[in-house]
Amino acid sequence: MNRRTKLLAVCLVISLVFAGWTWTRPYEWSHDAKARYHIAYASLDKDRSYYWVGVHLERDGREEHDFHKPVALVLADGRELEPAEFSNTEEDFQSIDYRFWVEEKDMTGPLRMKLNDGTLTIRKKSGPPPVIDSIRYFNTANW
């Protein structure tokens, strides 16, 4: 093996380790256990002057989602929006999907989600959302 091949092999290994870490890291390093779920990923889809904000949740423990408690998206100014859509593909509610219909002007700040007795961070950054031309998925709250 010559020197050039060894250098390329080291670069490949470093790239693979970084890619693996990027895909396996949690959406949020420390989430609220009272929420009973954690965010697996979020999605953003632009529809004229509105956005569809999707949140895919996965259950943490044995406690199921309490449907008697309201679920809300908390905007940067403190207003709360109810979910526009809810879906579940499994009978035991291991994962839940919520979608919120949000005006473009309300997408300039951080977003949080009230769920059960806890709060989950969907978006940490302020400013306009990323420019998109189709649905975009986020595996971290830093968008």
Side-chain angles (χ1 to χ4, degrees):
M1 233 197 243
N2 63 20
R3 188 174 177 180
R4 186 179 195 185
T5 306
K6 288 179 184 179
L7 179 65
L8 287 174
V10 168
C11 290
L12 177 65
V13 168
I14 292 171
S15 298
L16 289 174
V17 167
F18 179 75
W21 176 79
T22 301
W23 285 105
T24 59
R25 70 181 171 173
Y27 189 86
E28 187 177 12
W29 286 103
S30 60
H31 63 277
D32 193 348
K34 294 181 207 171
R36 301 180 189 170
Y37 284 78
H38 65 272
I39 299 174
Y41 62 86
S43 64
L44 186 66
D45 191 12
K46 187 164 173 66
D47 189 2
R48 299 187 192 245
S49 64
Y50 284 83
Y51 284 93
W52 280 107
V53 177
V55 182
H56 180 79
L57 303 167
E58 293 179 350
R59 190 163 63 186
D60 279 338
R62 292 185 172 200
E63 287 189 82
E64 291 183 2
H65 178 53
D66 187 354
F67 287 99
H68 294 99
K69 295 181 180 175
V71 174
L73 179 70
V74 181
L75 304 174
D77 61 4
R79 288 184 297 131
E80 295 182 359
L81 299 176
E82 292 182 6
E85 292 182 358
F86 163 80
S87 65
N88 172 42
T89 56
E90 301 168 9
E91 290 181 24
D92 58 355
F93 290 95
Q94 286 292 331
S95 64
I96 298 175
D97 290 301
Y98 282 102
R99 285 183 53 173
F100 299 91
W101 186 241
V102 183
E103 286 187 72
E104 189 170 11
K105 66 180 177 74
D106 294 326
M107 288 295 298
T108 59
L111 300 173
R112 293 175 293 132
M113 182 178 184
K114 286 173 64 175
L115 181 72
N116 296 315
D117 294 322
T119 304
L120 301 172
T121 303
I122 298 173
R123 180 179 186 219
K124 290 182 181 178
K125 293 191 175 185
S126 293
V131 177
I132 57 172
D133 56 357
S134 64
I135 192 166
R136 184 156 175 204
Y137 295 92
F138 301 95
N139 59 357
T140 179
N142 296 321
W143 54 278

